[in-house]
């Protein structure tokens, strides 16, 4: 009776046949291309395992670097600390951090400090953030022993728009004007920088004190 109804209902019969054809095609496609799906699953699982292994390895390297850094800094004599720091194995950003740590105390070894900063500043493979920071620090450490024209050239390079330490470099450039006796120009440069949107509150405060000490007038926005 059921068979008779299926035959008497052409639409139902066609739908069932179509469904059977689709199912056969699906199985055929799976037999032919199923390995691609299996390969994708294996790739996804393998990728997850690789990511987790890489992350774990990076964390282990960071931990080892930090431990070695602390151990070196705990040494008593400056020469021993520097020797221990220089012996720490590093890669990537760790190298930059280590050089900046070595350069953090110029009172201990000024020559080594400047050399460490020069290495960071000259490394074109590093991000501008690291290189510019090294240049900024070098100008501060060198001070008057570095010719004023050289300091200005170095600072003007990192005071360009878009550079990470532009406001700080501009501040130091204003101080160079004071050093040259160009007080009015220095006050103008400082008051302009005080109104710069990228200038931090601490920088504005320092500049405000300098402008006042030099007899200048604070910008209205800063004064109020």
């Amino acid at each position: 009776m059921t068979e008779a109804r299926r035959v008497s209902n052409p639409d139902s019969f066609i739908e069932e046949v179509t469904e059977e054809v689709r199912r056969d095609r699906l199985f055929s496609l799976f037999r032919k291309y199923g390995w691609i799906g299996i390969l994708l699953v294996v790739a996804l699982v393998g990728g997850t395992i690789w990511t987790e292994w890489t992350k774990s390895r990076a964390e282990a390297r960071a931990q080892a670097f930090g431990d070695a850094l602390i151990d070196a800094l705990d040494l008593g004599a400056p020469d021993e600390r520097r020797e221990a720091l220089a012996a720490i194995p590093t890669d990537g950003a760790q190298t930059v951090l280590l050089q900046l740590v070595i350069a953090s105390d110029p009172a201990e070894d000024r020559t080594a400090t400047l050399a460490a900063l020069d290495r960071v500043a000259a490394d074109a493979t590093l991000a501008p953030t690291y290189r510019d920071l090294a240049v900024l620090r070098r100008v501060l450490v060198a001070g008057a022993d570095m010719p004023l024209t050289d300091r200005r050239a170095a600072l003007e390079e990192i005071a360009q728009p878009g550079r990470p330490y532009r406001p700080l470099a501009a501040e130091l450039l204003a101080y160079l004007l004071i050093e040259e006796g160009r007080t009015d120009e220095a006050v103008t440069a400082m008051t302009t920088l005080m109104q710069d949107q990228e200038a931090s509150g601490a920088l504005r405060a320092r500049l405000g004190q300098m402008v006042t000490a030099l007899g200048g007038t604070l910008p209205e926005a800063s004064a109020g």
Side-chain angles (χ1 to χ4, degrees):
M1 191 70 168
T2 302
E3 187 66 26
R5 279 201 300 270
R6 288 173 56 189
V7 175
S8 63
N9 189 341
D11 291 338
S12 177
F13 177 74
I14 292 173
E15 288 177 2
E16 290 188 23
V17 172
T18 302
E19 185 63 28
E20 289 293 336
V21 172
R22 287 175 179 170
R23 188 178 296 110
D24 289 342
R25 286 181 177 176
L26 179 62
F27 287 143
S28 176
L29 289 173
F30 183 79
R31 286 194 298 270
K32 186 175 182 180
Y33 299 108
W35 63 273
I36 296 178
I38 296 173
L39 183 61
L40 289 175
V41 171
V42 171
L44 288 173
V45 173
T48 301
I49 294 173
W50 172 259
T51 299
E52 290 300 320
W53 180 79
T54 303
K55 181 180 178 181
S56 175
R57 188 164 174 260
E59 290 176 353
R61 283 202 309 268
Q63 182 67 44
F65 173 73
D67 291 344
L69 199 60
I70 292 172
D71 290 342
L73 292 173
D74 281 343
L75 296 175
D79 291 343
E80 292 179 352
R81 285 201 298 273
R82 286 186 176 276
E83 184 177 349
L85 287 169
I88 296 175
T90 60
D91 60 1
Q94 291 179 353
T95 303
V96 180
L97 293 175
L98 183 60
Q99 293 297 332
L100 292 176
V101 168
I102 292 174
S104 64
D105 192 354
E108 295 180 354
D109 190 337
R110 196 162 177 269
T111 300
T113 293
L114 293 174
L117 292 170
D118 282 339
R119 284 193 293 272
V120 176
D123 192 342
T125 65
L126 298 176
T129 300
Y130 293 122
R131 299 201 310 272
D132 287 5
L133 179 58
V135 170
L136 200 63
R137 178 68 173 156
R138 194 193 192 290
V139 170
L140 289 171
V141 172
D145 288 341
M146 184 177 183
L148 190 145
T149 53
D150 292 345
R151 280 179 279 159
R152 174 172 284 122
L155 292 171
E156 285 178 343
E157 178 68 24
I158 64 175
Q160 299 299 316
R163 301 297 280 266
Y165 299 103
R166 183 185 66 80
L168 292 175
E171 179 186 12
L172 293 181
L173 284 170
Y175 295 157
L176 292 185
L177 292 173
I178 297 175
E179 189 175 333
E180 289 180 308
R182 298 157 62 183
T183 305
D184 291 342
E185 293 179 56
V187 169
T188 299
M190 290 179 185
T191 53
T192 299
L193 183 56
M194 287 179 69
Q195 300 172 83
D196 193 309
Q197 293 183 350
E198 294 184 13
S200 66
L203 189 151
R204 290 192 179 99
R206 288 197 304 272
L207 293 175
Q209 292 174 352
M210 286 297 299
V211 169
T212 300
L214 294 172
T217 302
L218 296 174
E220 290 184 6
S222 297

